[in-house]
Amino acid sequence: MKFELVKLSYATDALEPVISKQTIEFHHGKHLQAYVNNLNNLVPGTKFENADLETIVKESEGGIFNNAGQILNHNLYFTQFSPNGGGEPSGRLAAAIDAAWGSFENFRKEFETAGVGLFGSGWVWLAKDKDGKLLITKEVNAGNPVTKGFVPLLGFDVWEHAYYLDYQNRRADHLKELWKIVDWKIVECRF
Ligand code: MN
């Protein structure tokens, strides 16, 4: 299977000032493109030749896992934002967040705390378990909740390449700003 760079549904400057055009161009056009190229070079001749991305992430290790994991992570990441995003989730997802954390505000705080507290590179995710219960997971490096049997719903990238050009070392400020561009309709569909 030939993996491809996920297409953006918005212009590269559309998420400014939360994420700059320059960051999108490097993050999507260079970093993610490199993971796609790497995986396409690594997979031929392995048992993963006809496997889909999620299967590879669940069953691989080493370089194949790292590149496949980062493609899955970034495909979810780049498609969850919109220049018209922000606000709060509604419907079933809102009810599930209230059930798990008491309020959307509490969820947001816990999510940001998890992201700030993750040492080094990785991801913080809102995920659901097999019973539909919500949880926050921290994943180092290329990790994704699918390896634990969870469904990823929303992911914030805390690798420095996601924010350093715009926020330098201020990861907490970056995470706080990201809520303004989250497209909750997309997240609700994943739920
Ligand atoms: Mn990234």
Side-chain angles (χ1 to χ4, degrees):
M1 179 183 281
K2 185 93 174 146
F3 295 98
E4 290 181 5
L5 184 67
V6 69
K7 287 195 173 41
L8 301 177
S9 65
Y10 41 81
T12 52
D13 63 355
L15 303 182
E16 292 190 339
V18 178
I19 304 176
S20 71
K21 179 177 197 284
Q22 191 186 23
T23 289
I24 292 287
E25 285 174 351
F26 274 93
H27 197 184
H28 176 262
K30 307 283 187 194
H31 289 277
L32 178 52
Q33 183 68 65
Y35 297 130
V36 171
N37 295 345
N38 290 342
L39 190 65
N40 282 330
N41 288 328
L42 287 167
V43 159
T46 71
K47 65 174 177 176
F48 298 115
E49 271 191 327
N50 296 308
D52 63 27
L53 204 51
E54 198 169 310
T55 304
I56 299 177
V57 173
K58 284 177 180 167
E59 297 179 7
S60 66
E61 52 191 28
I64 292 184
F65 172 79
N66 287 335
N67 287 284
Q70 284 292 70
I71 298 170
L72 179 61
N73 291 340
H74 288 91
N75 287 355
L76 291 161
Y77 176 82
F78 283 114
T79 56
Q80 74 194 1
F81 295 133
S82 159
N84 306 312
E88 298 189 10
S90 58
R92 281 172 55 239
L93 181 60
I97 286 175
D98 287 346
W101 291 283
S103 68
F104 178 67
E105 195 54 37
N106 283 344
F107 156 71
R108 232 176 49 166
K109 277 192 201 134
E110 279 204 36
F111 197 85
E112 287 177 23
T113 300
V116 170
L118 195 153
F119 185 79
S121 296
W123 294 78
V124 56
W125 293 96
L126 171 66
K128 68 169 179 177
D129 70 10
K130 60 180 183 2
D131 301 318
K133 190 171 172 294
L134 295 177
L135 57 154
I136 294 170
T137 75
K138 293 201 272 189
E139 306 289 338
V140 296
N141 299 321
N144 184 287
V146 296
T147 62
K148 298 167 176 166
F150 304 140
V151 176
L153 307 177
L154 173 76
F156 283 5
D157 187 346
V158 301
W159 284 59
E160 285 187 344
H161 68 216
Y163 60 88
Y164 211 84
L165 293 171
D166 303 332
Y167 299 82
Q168 292 77 49
N169 61 316
R170 292 175 289 113
R171 183 193 287 183
D173 291 348
H174 171 64
L175 298 183
K176 206 177 281 299
E177 290 298 301
L178 281 180
W179 301 111
K180 295 176 181 169
I181 54 170
V182 171
D183 187 338
W184 286 106
K185 289 286 162 247
I186 302 276
V187 181
E188 285 164 22
C189 286
R190 293 175 182 170
F191 181 58

